[in-house]
Amino acid sequence: MTVTYKSGRKHNDADCLLRAPLEEAHSNHEDDDGFLGLITATAMASEQYSDPELKPLIDYLQHRTDEVPTIFRRSIPSFSIHNGV
C-alpha cells in the first residue's frame, strides 16, 4: 500500500474514511416525520436561494447564468435541482 500526501486545497473530495469517527446517532423515526413536515419545498427553495453561497450555484443550475461558481467547478455534476430544491 502506498500513502500519498495531498494538500487540503488539492483534496476537495475527502471521503468519510479520512474524517474523525462520530458517535452513533440514535434513530428516532417519529421525530423525523414531525421535523420534515415543518417546511415546504417552496420554503426550502426560498431559504436556499437566500443563501449567498448557494445563490450562484442555483442560478447556474436554473440556466440563469453560464458562469459556473468557482467553488463548485469540480463537483458541479453532483448537483441538481428537483422540485425547486
Side-chain angles (χ1 to χ4, degrees), residues 16-60:
C16 64
L17 296 176
L18 298 174
R19 302 181 192 281
L22 301 174
E23 291 182 26
E24 185 175 326
H26 299 287
S27 178
N28 186 348
H29 296 291
E30 294 172 8
D31 287 345
D32 292 346
D33 294 338
F35 173 76
L36 295 174
L38 294 177
I39 190 165
T40 64
T42 303
M44 176 67 82
S46 176
E47 288 294 320
Q48 288 177 332
Y49 197 70
S50 67
D51 184 313
E53 292 181 8
L54 291 178
K55 185 179 182 305
L57 174 63
I58 294 168
D59 285 341
Y60 175 78

